[in-house]
Amino acid sequence: MKIRPDEETNQKFLPFWSHFFDKDTYGTSEKGKSELTKILGSNEHEFETVKPVSLIKKLLFHINKKDCLVLDFFAGSGTTGHAVLEMNHQDGGTRRFILCTNNENGIAEDICYPRIKNVIRGYKDQDPRDASLKYFKTSFVKMSPAKDDMKIRLSNQCTEMLCIRESVFDEIKSTTDYKIFKQNDKILAVYYSLERDALKTLKKELDKLDGSKTLYCLTLDPLGLSKSDFSGWENVMLEPIPQKILEIYKQIYEY
């Protein structure tokens, strides 16, 4: 890494980065590959640019937030997720991570996902880690000439993103009109219908459950449901399904 001597700001970071990338302290790609081979039980992955877990742990240490959400847009072999799990195990933190990859050459299915799964379950002489893992695939929703139908299918497809947003994943009820999820004392419901018929049934289901309840509803617009349809719903926070998702699809399909 080159630092221009006339850039005072960069000069301040020189000792930090020099210490950071001391290969004797934090390892090399060879160490990273060795770690990956041990976890997967094979060296057939032929992945050459694996970062050592110790390096990413050092980065996380300097963030100094035990409850942060770590996002890695270029997940590669999954070293970032592995490091988060190890840091939480080490200091009792509650860090979470989101790893993204385009699955080129099967890297998500054959390397990244199996690696994180094995770390959580435990491998060889490594004890299990107290964590859970969800694996999502992205896809486009096909264009429909009926906008209402398009809205319903979009809201259905974005349910998993709402689960991530609320950190609630365990599905306990699913119908064509709504889904209900629960995680510890948090409850998430997503209502898909443009009609009011299923609302009474959904309310009865939520009334049976104890905990912090959030209901996402796509149809809070002049042509659909309104807040008055939810009068009398106690201990339920009402949210519209994020409009940004719909706006992005409108731009993609130009409708």
Side-chain angles (χ1 to χ4, degrees):
M1 181 177 183
K2 296 181 178 179
I3 302 293
R4 288 175 53 186
D6 59 331
E7 292 184 354
E8 182 179 353
T9 302
N10 282 343
Q11 283 284 0
K12 294 178 181 178
F13 286 97
L14 180 58
F16 175 77
W17 286 111
S18 297
H19 175 67
F20 231 59
F21 290 102
D22 178 1
K23 65 180 182 180
D24 294 329
T25 304
Y26 300 111
T28 63
S29 290
E30 288 301 318
K31 180 183 178 182
K33 288 196 303 184
S34 176
E35 291 171 342
L36 182 60
T37 297
K38 184 177 180 181
I39 296 169
L40 297 180
S42 169
N43 60 0
E44 295 179 359
H45 52 81
E46 297 181 357
F47 197 75
E48 296 296 326
T49 55
V50 185
K51 295 179 288 295
V53 172
S54 53
L55 174 61
I56 307 303
K57 284 176 64 178
K58 188 64 175 179
L59 284 168
L60 294 173
F61 174 79
H62 280 277
I63 293 173
N64 197 29
K65 290 185 66 176
K66 294 184 179 182
D67 60 348
C68 62
L69 174 61
V70 181
L71 172 61
D72 189 344
F73 277 112
F74 303 96
S77 67
T79 305
T80 299
H82 186 176
V84 170
L85 294 171
E86 293 305 317
M87 284 294 289
N88 285 343
H89 181 74
Q90 178 179 319
D91 61 17
T94 57
R95 302 171 187 84
R96 296 172 295 150
F97 61 84
I98 298 175
L99 307 182
C100 306
T101 176
N102 62 1
N103 199 33
E104 183 178 1
N105 297 321
I107 190 172
E109 296 177 346
D110 300 333
I111 299 177
C112 185
Y113 178 69
R115 174 186 189 167
I116 301 301
K117 183 175 66 174
N118 287 352
V119 170
I120 292 174
R121 290 181 174 179
Y123 59 94
K124 293 190 175 180
D125 58 346
Q126 177 67 64
D127 294 332
R129 297 296 182 244
D130 184 16
S132 59
L133 178 65
K134 290 289 182 179
Y135 177 21
F136 299 106
K137 295 182 180 180
T138 58
S139 63
F140 282 104
V141 176
K142 291 183 179 180
M143 179 60 176
S144 171
K147 291 186 179 180
D148 286 347
D149 175 67
M150 186 74 174
K151 284 185 176 182
I152 293 172
R153 288 191 291 116
L154 276 175
S155 61
N156 199 304
Q157 290 295 318
C158 77
T159 298
E160 291 172 336
M161 286 186 281
L162 298 177
C163 289
I164 293 175
R165 180 177 182 177
E166 299 294 336
S167 295
V168 181
F169 300 101
D170 294 338
E171 184 178 298
I172 60 174
K173 184 77 174 183
S174 177
T175 73
T176 55
D177 296 308
Y178 61 84
K179 289 183 179 179
I180 302 176
F181 302 83
K182 193 174 190 300
Q183 202 80 34
N184 299 322
D185 61 345
K186 295 183 66 176
I187 298 161
L188 166 67
V190 186
Y191 190 73
Y192 307 113
S193 179
L194 291 168
E195 306 296 336
R196 294 170 170 80
D197 295 344
L199 276 178
K200 292 182 179 179
T201 305
L202 174 58
K203 184 178 184 301
K204 289 179 181 179
E205 293 291 342
L206 291 178
D207 286 343
K208 297 175 185 176
L209 302 172
D210 294 323
S212 173
K213 305 170 188 176
T214 302
L215 169 62
Y216 280 91
C217 180
L218 173 70
T219 55
L220 294 176
D221 58 51
L223 300 179
L225 303 176
S226 66
K227 290 185 178 180
S228 62
D229 290 299
F230 298 91
S231 61
W233 288 54
E234 298 180 358
N235 304 317
V236 177
M237 179 179 294
L238 183 62
E239 297 277 1
I241 290 178
Q243 190 65 23
K244 290 294 185 182
I245 298 172
L246 299 177
E247 293 299 328
I248 290 172
Y249 266 90
K250 287 180 180 179
Q251 293 174 21
I252 292 172
Y253 289 112
E254 296 182 349
Y255 85 100

